[in-house]
Amino acid sequence: MENCIFCKIIKGDIPSKRVYEDEEMIIIHDVAPKAKLHYLCIPKTHFALLKEMDDERAAIVARCLQKVSSLEETLGLGEGYRVIINQGKNGGQTVHHLHIHLLGGEELGDF
Ligand code: AMP
């Protein structure tokens, strides 16, 4: 997608601090961290909302979560972390390319 900031990051047109990449996803440091550690796991396929998932996209999101779990220790999230997927206006979604926030590196407490 032409004007999507995450598509530009995936293509390498906008720099990012990548900690993982494969053919389906990247994991980067969030540029404005909301916790000591704040990563974004971003599927390379462009779509914005969970409700836009077909079976193939759902499988990609599942593999993103599986990959995140396999990298917990490497990412410094071994003591636990929070997973957030903001959806739409009320969910506070500002980038309309589905992404999974991973927050940790400290005790986050409850909401
Ligand atoms: P959301 O509000 O769920 O759409 O989250 C978008 C996230 O993308 C925010 O936490 C931003 O700080 C983050 N973000 C925006 N631009 C960049 C960028 N160039 N590199 C890394 N993270 C970014």
Side-chain angles (χ1 to χ4, degrees), residues 5-6 9 14-16 28-32 34 38 40 86 92-95 99 101:
I5 189 166
F6 286 171
I9 286 174
I14 292 177
S16 65
I28 64 171
H29 284 274
D30 194 292
V31 77
K34 313 289 189 302
H38 186 173
L40 301 172
N86 292 327
Q93 186 176 13
T94 58
V95 178
H99 52 282
H101 292 266

Side-chain angles (χ1 to χ4, degrees), residues 89-107:
K89 183 167 72 74
N90 283 5
Q93 186 176 13
T94 58
V95 178
H96 300 284
H97 180 130
L98 192 110
H99 52 282
I100 303 165
H101 292 266
L102 310 168
L103 297 138
E106 61 182 317
E107 281 192 32

Side-chain angles (χ1 to χ4, degrees), residues 36-74:
K36 257 189 191 160
L37 292 173
H38 186 173
Y39 303 99
L40 301 172
C41 180
I42 308 172
K44 289 186 174 178
T45 307
H46 178 94
F47 63 101
L49 298 169
L50 291 169
K51 71 181 176 191
E52 294 168 11
M53 284 190 305
D54 55 15
D55 287 350
E56 196 182 325
R57 288 173 175 178
I60 291 170
V61 172
R63 284 193 288 274
C64 285
L65 291 170
Q66 202 170 26
K67 180 55 69 179
V68 164
S69 72
S70 77
L71 292 175
E72 285 173 3
E73 297 291 341
T74 310

